[in-house]
């Protein structure tokens, strides 16, 4: 296992592929670990130096006291890039990871070559939903809401046809530390990039899921419509299209990042 000791946080990360290839950082969704990217590792590692990491408070990364901010999560990525000696990288983030990607594109565009915003939004409201969720998690743990939340990650039909995957996602979510999950909820609650999207100059791909209830496809279309020259792909599936529409998700990332120059 590899860890990066950054400014005030210890992040767990993994790398795959040839370090001589262009770097591609994958950022997980709220309540997930870097293992959520398992179906992407083999195809992407053939073309990229793949970097996956556990967001602070998640997986095997340190559970620092919350609340967190998206700016903190973004600075964690910059620290990880510095730790690995990577001047620039491609970046793909799902949900909370997509908010992190938007912050990076707005505040450190020089560190990003291309950006994929997957099953995310510029603003994920309403805020009281997050405040109430934080209260529930701090009182009873993430396991108390794991079934309800994980049920939104896959469509019901896909979950029924793939029970092992559905069970593993519930376990992943339930294993998330309450303080880490709560801190990240507050980061998502307070993030709002709607007025800033026109300033994103990094080439961007937006991926949305037709049946996503957490960040509906309309939110993806809003992102793509307001980020200059952004591309838009809508895939079948719910919130984790990288797990439900694997072939088309992987193809979309490979086609977008492809041989794009890092300079």
């Amino acid at each position: 296992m590899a860890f990066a000791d950054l400014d005030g946080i210890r992040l767990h990360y993994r790398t795959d592929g040839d370090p001589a290839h262009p770097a591609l950082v994958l950022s997980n969704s709220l309540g997930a670990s870097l293992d959520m990217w398992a179906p992407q590792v083999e195809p992407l590692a053939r073309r990229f130096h793949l970097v996956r990491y556990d967001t602070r408070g998640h997986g095997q990364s340190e559970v620092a006291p919350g609340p967190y901010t998206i700016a903190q999560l973004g600075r964690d990525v910059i620290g990880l890039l510095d730790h690995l000696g990577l001047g620039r990288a491609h970046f793909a983030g799902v949900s909370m990871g997509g908010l992190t990607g938007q912050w990076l594109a707005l505040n450190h565009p020089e560190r990003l070559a291309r950006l994929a915003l997957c099953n995310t939004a510029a603003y994920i409201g309403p805020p009281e939903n997050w405040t109430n969720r934080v209260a529930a998690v701090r009182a009873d743990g993430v396991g108390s809401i794991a079934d309800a939340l994980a049920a939104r990650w896959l469509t019901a039909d896909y979950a029924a046809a793939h029970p092992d995957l559905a069970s593993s996602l519930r376990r992943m979510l339930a294993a998330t530390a309450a303080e880490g999950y709560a801190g990240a909820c507050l980061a998502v609650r307070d993030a709002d990039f709607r007025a800033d999207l026109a300033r994103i100059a990094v080439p961007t791909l937006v991926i949305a899921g037709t049946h996503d209830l957490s960040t509906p496809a309309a939110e993806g279309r809003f992102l793509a419509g307001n980020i200059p020259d952004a591309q838009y792909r809508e895939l079948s599936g719910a919130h984790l299209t990288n797990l439900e529409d694997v072939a088309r998700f992987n193809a979309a990332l490979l086609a977008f990042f492809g041989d794009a120059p890092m300079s």
Side-chain angles (χ1 to χ4, degrees), residues 166-202:
S167 294
S168 71
L169 291 175
R170 286 193 294 272
R171 288 194 300 271
M172 180 190 298
L173 180 56
T176 305
E179 182 59 25
Y181 186 87
C185 280
L186 296 174
V188 173
R189 182 194 67 182
D190 296 338
D192 187 351
F193 297 114
R194 288 174 292 185
D196 303 309
L197 297 178
R199 296 195 293 109
I200 293 180
V202 177

Side-chain angles (χ1 to χ4, degrees), residues 123-127 129-130 214:
Y123 171 74
I124 308 176
N129 285 2
W130 297 109
S214 300

